[in-house]
Amino acid sequence: MSLAGVRCLVTGAGGFLGQRIVRLLLEEEEELAEIRTLDKAFSYEAYKSFTDFKGQTQVTILEGDIQDATFLQRACQGVSLVIHAAAIIDVLGLVETKVIREVNVTGTQLLLDACVCNNVQHFIYTSSIEVTGPNYRGDPICNGDEDTVYDSIIRSPYSQSKKLAEAAVLKANGQALKDGGIFLTCALRPTYIFGEGSPFLQGHLAESIMNNNNFRRISRKEALVNPVYVGNVAWAHILIAKALRNPEKAKHIEGQFYYISDDTPHLSYSDLNYELSKELGLGVDPCLPMPLMMMYYFALLLEVVSFLLRPFVTYIPSFNRHLVLLLNTTFTFSYRKAQRDFGYVPRYKWKEAKQRTSQWIASVIPQRRQYLKNRLPKPKRN
């Protein structure tokens, strides 16, 4: 079933994943009536790519705050599908817990309320693998699925906020709408997302250039994860949106969450960085800078120092215990349920995903080198 005639709202449309969802919708669903792209701010590149679109679909740019209830009410008027990808992502503690909760949890609830008030039929939430874990013990999961039993006690403010927001989304499923319809919701839990424009990959590239074109090893080779290409995550959103319009398929999807991965090889985070860029001359350290247990307790020490300094100065450590566990725990998941319920099959194979990402990296490296060169102090003249 197509999305012909649908008016769709995409939140977080200026972000890494949100932009890809919008572009794929415009490319694949030519008979969409309208896409409303919502974000707090859009980069020039994102704004230009949306406004320069020459197809039949109307593209409306909405700049506003996800915490503004009045703004959200206006944004949802006349819409039948919402894809909610907006969120603050923070694994280092750069953002206050209160702010993360307000955006990721309260903002999601305000959006759900606006949808119900405006008779929005379908709501797709972009959740996260971190809703599951890893937990504070670093218990591994190998090829898990939606029925895998796991003690998902998590302490990261970001992970907790995504878990609460996802729960609110799934709880809202089945609510009665004012026009007599039923509100249908679901959630997608992508594994670690890589691809062109990845802010995390950009950060690692900058560090590698400063480290003589060598990635610092941040994860053990044995800590296998299954990263997913950004184009495949966007594709999963479109497929489940179509399936929700099919009453027979929708009854299996509503109120459910789905893990989204693809055929990217299972490897560690550090080895993914290397695999994507080794042909460009970048390397990776052979081992962690210190034993894993020592890293964990060193991270704890840094957290204690940060806490003690808080009344006087803001100090954010470069890593913490949550990040050490996240990067060094085997955590892989199957997409079988998504394939069964709404026909998800990766649109982009690993070879193509790797090639596209590597080409982007090749274009970014000279920019990063020039940027870092300009930041270095110029030699003084006598």
Side-chain angles (χ1 to χ4, degrees):
M1 183 169 287
S2 75
L3 298 176
V6 168
R7 295 187 182 277
C8 173
L9 171 68
V10 180
T11 73
F16 169 47
L17 173 61
Q19 285 188 53
R20 197 58 177 261
I21 292 172
V22 172
R23 289 203 298 269
L24 204 52
L25 279 169
L26 292 173
E27 292 169 10
E28 292 295 322
E29 299 298 317
E30 296 180 356
E31 296 183 2
L32 263 172
E34 181 186 10
I35 298 179
R36 298 180 190 175
T37 61
L38 186 155
D39 214 318
K40 196 164 188 177
F42 290 88
S43 66
Y44 172 75
E45 291 78 12
Y47 182 85
K48 194 171 188 305
S49 69
F50 297 158
T51 55
D52 285 354
F53 179 69
K54 304 300 182 185
Q56 300 177 15
T57 303
Q58 178 184 343
V59 180
T60 305
I61 307 291
L62 300 174
E63 288 195 348
D65 197 327
I66 195 75
Q67 300 174 73
D68 185 339
T70 304
F71 170 69
L72 293 179
Q73 290 287 343
R74 292 197 303 269
C76 290
Q77 287 179 2
V79 166
S80 61
L81 167 66
V82 167
I83 297 175
H84 180 32
I88 290 179
I89 302 174
D90 178 40
V91 294
L92 285 176
L94 299 172
V95 184
E96 291 183 18
T97 299
K98 179 175 179 290
V99 175
I100 294 175
R101 286 285 187 102
E102 287 172 346
V103 172
N104 293 358
V105 183
T106 306
T108 298
Q109 188 59 60
L110 289 173
L111 183 60
L112 289 168
D113 294 341
C115 287
V116 173
C117 286
N118 287 279
N119 298 310
V120 175
Q121 297 170 320
H122 304 132
F123 189 104
I124 301 166
Y125 178 62
T126 308
S127 189
S128 167
I129 191 68
E130 287 197 50
V131 166
T132 306
N135 59 25
Y136 68 95
R137 293 191 300 268
D139 295 329
I141 292 180
C142 185
N143 203 32
D145 60 27
E146 291 77 1
D147 295 323
T148 299
V149 177
Y150 188 74
D151 183 11
S152 57
I153 299 175
I154 45 181
R155 293 171 175 168
S156 157
Y158 166 70
S159 305
Q160 290 175 343
S161 73
K162 294 297 285 186
K163 188 171 185 176
L164 290 170
E166 184 193 273
V169 169
L170 300 183
K171 183 179 178 181
N173 181 69
Q175 280 189 246
L177 302 174
K178 292 181 178 179
D179 64 358
I182 300 296
F183 189 39
L184 302 184
T185 71
C186 60
L188 300 181
R189 293 183 184 175
T191 53
Y192 170 73
I193 306 174
F194 73 94
E196 312 93 285
S198 164
F200 294 107
L201 191 47
Q202 287 196 54
H204 294 315
L205 285 170
E207 291 174 359
S208 70
I209 292 169
M210 294 178 67
N211 191 39
N212 296 319
N213 297 324
N214 217 50
F215 288 105
R216 297 187 189 279
R217 180 164 290 281
I218 54 177
S219 53
R220 301 172 300 154
K221 279 183 171 292
E222 315 88 75
L224 301 181
V225 293
N226 53 336
V228 59
Y229 180 58
V230 62
N232 288 327
V233 181
W235 182 234
H237 283 76
I238 294 171
L239 290 176
I240 201 167
K242 291 181 179 180
L244 282 170
R245 286 170 53 80
N246 182 323
E248 193 60 34
K249 290 183 178 180
K251 66 184 182 183
H252 299 291
I253 297 169
E254 58 170 299
Q256 299 292 311
F257 70 86
Y258 295 90
Y259 291 112
I260 302 299
S261 57
D262 56 20
D263 65 342
T264 300
H266 292 198
L267 67 181
S268 75
Y269 288 101
S270 292
D271 292 300
L272 172 68
N273 291 339
Y274 173 62
E275 190 65 34
L276 293 171
S277 55
K278 63 182 180 182
E279 295 174 6
L280 303 173
L282 274 66
V284 62
D285 291 342
C287 57
L288 293 173
M290 62 183 78
L292 182 59
M293 189 60 68
M294 188 181 295
M295 278 186 69
Y296 182 85
Y297 284 109
F298 184 59
L300 173 59
L301 175 62
L302 293 179
E303 290 176 44
V304 171
V305 171
S306 176
F307 176 78
L308 294 175
L309 291 176
R310 193 169 301 165
F312 313 103
V313 65
T314 300
Y315 164 62
I316 308 296
S318 57
F319 66 102
N320 52 44
R321 286 172 296 165
H322 170 71
L323 193 56
V324 170
L325 290 172
L326 180 68
L327 298 174
N328 287 282
T329 302
T330 293
F331 224 59
T332 63
F333 290 85
S334 165
Y335 61 81
R336 285 191 300 267
K337 182 180 177 183
Q339 184 175 28
R340 181 193 71 205
D341 286 2
F342 58 91
Y344 167 72
V345 174
R347 177 187 174 97
Y348 303 92
K349 296 295 184 183
W350 160 241
K351 183 178 179 181
E352 182 179 359
K354 178 182 175 181
Q355 181 181 32
R356 285 169 172 254
T357 308
S358 298
Q359 288 174 347
W360 169 75
I361 291 173
S363 71
V364 168
I365 287 176
Q367 301 171 15
R368 298 304 303 178
R369 284 180 175 152
Q370 186 60 46
Y371 173 74
L372 293 170
K373 182 180 178 181
N374 293 339
R375 289 187 63 188
L376 291 173
K378 296 180 180 178
K380 294 182 179 180
R381 294 182 178 179
N382 293 329

